[in-house]
Structure formats: C-alpha cells, structure tokens
Amino acid sequence: EAQVTQNPRYLITVTGKKLTVTCSQNMNHEYMSWYRQDPGLGLRQIYYSMNVEVTDKGDVPEGYKVSRKEKRNFPLILESPSPNQTSLYFCASTPRAFSGRVADNEQFFGPGTRLTVL
Amino acid sequence: GQQLNQSPQSMFIQEGEDVSMNCTSSSIFNTWLWYKQDPGEGPVLLIALYKAGELTSNGRLTAQFGITRKDSFLNISASIPSDVGIYFCAGRHGSSNTGKLIFGQGTTLQVKP
C-alpha cells in the first residue's frame, strides 16, 4: 500500500530534550516536505527536499533541522525543543516538485505527529 | 512568510445546502490546489488548477482559478454529512520553481443532518 508513515504519532517531551520525528514514503517520490499545523494558521512549511541531499528552508525553519540521505526518509530534528514548537506536524511527499501534470501534484500526507513540549 | 487569506474561517450549514469558500493573495500564483482534511488525518488533494480562468469539477466540488491569478474559490453543491472537515487552499508562486506551497488558514465546515 502506497503511504507516508510518521513516527511517533504522539509525543510529550520537555524543553531542551532533543527529539527526532521520522518520515518514510514507499512511493519513490522525489519531493518531501514537513509542515506544522496550528489553529488559525493553517499549514506552514518548515523544510522541504527536492531530492536526495537537496533540502531548503520553508516559511518557519527556525528551531528545526532535516536531512535527506535516502530518497524514502526525511526525518525532522528538534535539537532543543521549546514550548512554542508544540504543534501538529505533517510530513508529505509528491512525485516531483510540482509540474503541470496533475499526477505530479498529488501530495500525499502522513497521519500527523502531535507534539507537546512542556 | 506569506499566507493566503482564506474565508470564511468556519461554516455551519444544513445538509443539502451549497457551500462556497475562497482564497486571495497579494501576489500572483501559477498553481492553486484545494485540500480537505478529515478529523485526525492528513490533508487530501481535491482539485488542482493551473491556468487563469480554469474551472474544474470533482463530483459535487467545483473550483476556479481567478482571472487575476490572485484568487481561487471552491464550491460544494448539495452538501452531505461526510463533507465535514477542514478545507485548505494552497498556492505556488508564478516565479517559483522550487515546489514550495503556501497554505491558507483553512475553512472548517460542519454539516447538520
């Protein structure tokens, strides 16, 4: 089954304790992205990756790191989490970095990770 | 970072009614996308638009790419209870070839049977 998986689904942690949220897709997609969703703000892009070893900042990258060593995995790293990073996080993948072909724009989202930083 | 202005923020309607929501931007987009998010899940793509003036349907859903390329709307006809969820618009700038998407704040739809 084609899917995007995220782990963990729920996490409660304390300020300053490094954590990693994993994201994996089994569709051989080139483009992957991380978003955070906050009430009233919609989805805001944190980082994205056009392909292996190619990553770039989105709109709200402060306090986050990513890596793309393999095509299927795109982990999100919080080196020193703070309470303002409490949010719902989504990983997404797309066949390519958006083209005129409808199929290339099908962005598959993971189930989400609800993170609470105390 | 830039955000899209999506309205209304929420709607509470009777089953069978038609729904309309829209997104506006201060800058030009070359792609508009509409997503739906069911409770507890990630967003799912409903409709993609690529040309100014384009009108596209997906079942009871119809979306249009505004002529000015700065807005888009989504209509849902004859709403049913399973239409409940959060609807997001998303756009990509005309000058961007990076694939970066900007999302609206979302419209929460509730349907009363």
Side-chain angles (χ1 to χ4, degrees):
Chain A
E1 180 188 355
Q3 59 182 352
V4 178
T5 56
Q6 294 178 228
N7 281 292
R9 293 289 314 278
Y10 302 90
L11 178 61
I12 300 175
T13 189
V14 294
T15 298
K17 186 177 181 181
K18 180 180 179 179
L19 67 92
T20 299
V21 183
T22 64
C23 173
S24 182
Q25 50 92 6
N26 61 0
M27 297 167 281
N28 200 37
H29 285 172
E30 292 181 355
Y31 182 92
M32 296 185 76
S33 183
W34 275 104
Y35 297 89
R36 60 178 288 172
Q37 183 177 11
D38 302 290
L41 296 177
L43 289 156
R44 293 180 293 168
Q45 193 174 46
I46 302 170
Y47 269 94
Y48 62 94
S49 170
M50 305 276 278
N51 214 323
V52 176
E53 301 291 2
V54 181
T55 64
D56 207 348
K57 297 177 181 178
D59 288 318
V60 288
E62 294 78 19
Y64 305 95
K65 285 174 58 178
V66 293
S67 69
R68 188 91 180 275
K69 294 184 173 58
E70 308 163 282
K71 201 169 189 179
R72 63 183 293 130
N73 296 322
F74 189 45
L76 179 69
I77 303 155
L78 284 72
E79 294 272 3
S80 182
S82 61
N84 65 12
Q85 292 179 297
T86 292
S87 187
L88 178 59
Y89 292 86
F90 287 102
C91 178
S93 75
T94 310
R96 286 185 181 79
F98 301 98
S99 70
R101 292 180 63 239
V102 173
D104 288 349
N105 282 275
E106 179 67 61
Q107 187 155 176
F108 292 83
F109 281 82
T113 296
R114 186 165 292 282
L115 172 66
T116 301
V117 183
L118 302 175
Chain B
Q2 181 187 4
Q3 278 191 302
L4 298 177
N5 293 316
Q6 186 172 349
S7 64
Q9 282 192 330
S10 62
M11 303 180 74
F12 191 90
I13 63 170
Q14 197 76 31
E15 182 177 2
E17 290 183 359
D18 295 344
V19 172
S20 185
M21 58 192 80
N22 68 82
C23 267
T24 59
S25 168
S26 58
S27 57
I28 290 173
F29 286 101
N30 69 356
T31 302
W32 282 97
L33 306 172
W34 284 92
Y35 288 85
K36 182 193 178 196
Q37 183 180 25
D38 290 325
E41 298 184 13
V44 173
L45 182 66
L46 297 173
I47 293 178
L49 302 160
Y50 303 104
K51 296 179 183 177
E54 180 181 358
L55 187 71
T56 298
S57 294
N58 178 3
R60 292 178 296 105
L61 278 61
T62 301
Q64 184 160 27
F65 194 139
I67 292 291
T68 65
R69 298 171 67 190
K70 293 183 179 181
D71 60 349
S72 177
F73 72 75
L74 175 71
N75 285 343
I76 305 172
S77 62
S79 59
I80 58 178
S82 62
D83 289 335
V84 165
I86 305 175
Y87 291 80
F88 290 102
C89 62
R92 183 166 69 108
H93 280 133
S95 60
S96 169
N97 63 356
T98 65
K100 181 178 173 182
L101 268 186
I102 299 170
F103 279 80
Q105 303 97 322
T107 295
T108 300
L109 178 63
Q110 297 183 16
V111 179
K112 184 178 180 182

